[in-house]
Amino acid sequence: MTRVNRLGAGLGVAGLALGLVACADGSTPADSTGAIDEKAPVTITIGDRPTPDKPNDIKAFEQKIKDFTAKYPNITVKSTETAWQAQTFQAQVAGGTLPTVMSISFTEPANMIPNKQLPDITDELKLVDLTKDLNPNVLKIVQDDKGRIYGVPIDVFSVGLAYNRALFTQAGLDPDKPPTTWDEVRQYAKQIADKTGKAGYAQLTTNNTGGWMLTTMTYSMGGTVQSPDGKKSTFNDAPTKKGLQLLKDMRWTDNSMGSRFLYNQEEVRQDFAAGKIGMVMQAPDAFDMSVKNFGMKPADYGHAALPQDGGPHGTLTGGSLKMISPKATKNEIVAALKWIKFEQFDKYTDEKVAVADAKTTIADKGFVGRPGISPLSQATYDQYNKWREPYVNVPVKQFQGYIDSTTSLKLLPEPSNKGQEVYSLLDPVVQQVLTKKDADIDKLLSETAAKVDARLAR
């Protein structure tokens, strides 16, 4: 969903020949022998171009392209605003309208790899010298059962609890002692609502985020959403029912969730930053948007571990990866991987680039040192952090609960089969629990499980 952590294997590259001829338009023709010529003219299209309402981001994006093509003059780069959206992505895949390279959610590869919608890039990754810097555990997201690789993880997250330290203080709660259990969340939410008149807790509910966060709650209560083989739903049981009952009680009994119950990711962050929400499940990158985009004071932001119920069960992890079009030729794959390495990873392996990136980030009023999970190997990540330590401008101590959770809680992957469809079908369940006082949780889950099972069986 939102970052959308973020591999090292010895991979052979035998038999890579040279001599591919470029087309007149600069693109590279497919070659049945799999030959690669790194110096041949080649054109690639990259997605995720910033939208016109973000001129500074566009400027930085275009400069990155200029720097890249200066380094690789044989590669022509075109760009498009095409970006991953859960509701439209599969239609774009089916229509063959995707750019050469773009970012997608971790939920996609499990279906795309067996359907041959992603190219095998194992050998090309080795050729551009990228595999050694990546986290082998995260790499499993984009591997098949033979260990072949079909994408590049770039951003990994796990879900915790974002909370407003100022509202905690106003409500008489200790901002350095956030809740660690869901019972405490309910207690804290009611105290915040009673003392401040603000929503003590809010829940994401729209654009597939309702199902996404219900899945997260289910994990934290010891449950699952899908069988290990991805063929059947498993959420019509006690953990998910307990999560929904908790939301129902906070909404209708405690009146601690305010008056707004239809939220997508950006909307909930905006209200959170404005001091209208005390607590909400989020990944740590919520800090960036809350502070930079919506003006929240850094001192007011806190991030704790995901609350648990009945023991340390775990938290949902996900992220984003760079996919390459299945239509890409070998030369286009190599060019795309060079772009990915240049754009995403050079700063992690070169001290000068790492320091320059930190300084540029600060000049752009961005953040250095915000805690999270890394797509990098531990050695690479530790060295990177050491280089950037003098430039950290994030209140790291206010993330302590979350930081501790990255080693104390299991990182549980999102549903492997049709994850976004599952989330979409669960959205209305959460919405009805929060908007209809007489919502029947058992009936809602039973009916939704039947719908999900029908989808999973296709």
Side-chain angles (χ1 to χ4, degrees), residues 232-236 426 444-454:
K232 188 171 180 59
S233 68
T234 57
F235 55 76
N236 188 16
L426 285 170
L444 286 169
L445 286 180
S446 179
E447 292 175 347
T448 305
K451 294 177 183 177
V452 169
D453 287 342

Side-chain angles (χ1 to χ4, degrees), residues 145-378:
D145 55 5
K146 296 179 180 179
R148 303 296 290 180
I149 304 168
Y150 296 82
V152 184
I154 59 168
D155 187 34
V156 188
F157 70 85
S158 64
V159 178
L161 187 75
Y163 65 98
N164 188 307
R165 293 172 60 88
L167 286 181
F168 266 51
T169 300
Q170 292 172 32
L173 298 167
D174 187 343
D176 292 326
K177 295 181 179 180
T180 59
T181 68
W182 282 109
D183 286 342
E184 289 179 342
V185 169
R186 183 178 179 184
Q187 296 166 15
Y188 283 38
K190 181 168 174 51
Q191 188 165 332
I192 291 169
D194 290 347
K195 297 287 187 179
T196 71
K198 308 297 183 181
Y201 177 84
Q203 187 83 357
L204 288 164
T205 54
T206 67
N207 295 355
N208 296 14
T209 64
W212 181 41
M213 287 296 105
L214 180 59
T215 296
T216 304
M217 289 188 80
T218 296
Y219 287 177
S220 72
M221 294 182 171
T224 59
V225 168
Q226 206 174 84
S227 60
D229 62 8
K231 295 181 179 180
K232 188 171 180 59
S233 68
T234 57
F235 55 76
N236 188 16
D237 62 359
T240 305
K241 291 177 182 180
K242 190 168 187 178
L244 289 169
Q245 188 62 51
L246 173 68
L247 294 176
K248 189 172 185 179
D249 290 343
M250 287 197 291
R251 162 67 174 100
W252 298 103
T253 301
D254 301 346
N255 193 29
S256 63
M257 294 183 67
S259 58
R260 182 172 180 179
F261 309 104
L262 298 179
Y263 274 118
N264 65 26
Q265 182 83 289
E266 185 167 332
E267 292 165 344
V268 85
R269 290 179 174 185
Q270 186 168 10
D271 277 3
F272 176 73
K276 298 178 181 179
I277 296 170
M279 297 174 287
V280 61
M281 285 188 288
Q282 289 285 291
D285 67 308
F287 174 87
D288 304 42
M289 184 179 288
S290 297
V291 175
K292 185 174 182 179
N293 297 62
F294 301 131
M296 187 176 191
K297 295 178 181 178
D300 291 347
Y301 188 96
H303 210 97
L306 181 72
Q308 302 289 296
D309 181 83
H313 299 296
T315 183
L316 180 145
T317 186
S320 61
L321 60 107
K322 290 292 185 180
M323 71 155 280
I324 295 174
S325 169
K327 294 183 177 182
T329 65
K330 289 286 188 179
N331 278 12
E332 289 168 352
I333 290 173
V334 170
L337 289 174
K338 287 180 177 179
W339 164 255
I340 293 168
K341 184 178 181 182
F342 182 86
E343 181 197 26
Q344 298 288 335
F345 292 101
D346 277 2
K347 67 182 180 181
Y348 296 122
T349 57
D350 185 309
E351 181 175 6
K352 290 183 179 180
V353 177
V355 170
D357 179 77
K359 291 179 178 179
T360 299
T361 298
I362 291 172
D364 291 340
K365 299 182 179 179
F367 305 105
V368 176
R370 190 253 301 146
I373 303 174
S374 174
L376 303 167
S377 66
Q378 195 60 49

